[in-house]
Amino acid sequence: MSRPVVEFITDPRFVKRARELKTMEAMVRMYCRGHGHDGPPCARCRALLEYATRRLERCVFGDAKPTCANCVVHCYGADMREQVRLVMKWAGPRMTLRHPILSLFHLLAGRRPAPGLPGKLARK
Ligand code: SF4
């Protein structure tokens, strides 16, 4: 992992992204357990979480980021994007009962319009 997750979560510059990371962690853990892996997430799910953490840390929108589903950049590689899609599809409906607050924040974030590309990237 490029940076300890705990540092990322407690850094005030990353509040929104830290919440997204918590949501992603919750969904991946549910998905992994729901697919027969008791205990800590399996290697494949851990790799997905580490990848998502790096993407969140380096998101070009910073803390103004839209939900990744509404993003115009889509920085995930095809394989990881497909993995996330499967996790979201399976865990999304289950989140409302297991993690209602995270689920509500994610729902509200998804309704906000996506911002334009920041700075130099917008002019390319
Ligand atoms: S998909 Fe878009 S919003 Fe999500 S991390 Fe990548 S650049 Fe940021």
Side-chain angles (χ1 to χ4, degrees):
M1 199 172 292
S2 61
R3 163 206 285 247
V5 170
V6 71
E7 184 187 332
F8 180 51
I9 286 175
T10 55
D11 189 326
R13 291 173 299 160
F14 300 121
V15 171
K16 184 176 176 188
R17 284 177 284 169
R19 193 187 66 242
E20 283 204 17
L21 181 61
K22 278 185 78 166
T23 305
M24 175 67 79
E25 281 176 346
M27 292 178 107
V28 170
R29 283 179 200 282
M30 284 170 60
Y31 178 86
C32 198
R33 277 196 207 111
H35 287 78
H37 299 127
D38 286 332
C42 68
R44 189 175 162 87
C45 286
R46 278 199 316 272
L48 178 61
L49 265 178
E50 287 179 12
Y51 183 85
T53 304
R54 282 198 305 274
R55 296 291 91 203
L56 279 169
E57 284 174 339
R58 297 171 188 172
C59 178
V60 293
F61 296 100
D63 222 28
K65 77 180 286 301
T67 56
C68 294
N70 291 341
C71 180
V72 292
V73 175
H74 292 303
C75 67
Y76 280 58
D79 179 46
M80 289 299 185
R81 198 169 164 188
E82 177 60 14
Q83 280 190 52
V84 166
R85 192 188 68 75
L86 291 174
V87 168
M88 297 275 168
K89 187 176 172 192
W90 190 90
R94 294 163 171 86
M95 279 292 283
T96 316
L97 287 177
R98 294 285 304 276
H99 299 280
I101 305 293
L102 288 176
S103 185
L104 179 64
F105 272 117
H106 192 67
L107 185 74
L108 293 174
R111 289 175 180 241
R112 274 196 295 274
L117 280 171
K120 290 178 186 169
L121 292 171
R123 290 191 289 271
K124 284 183 182 172

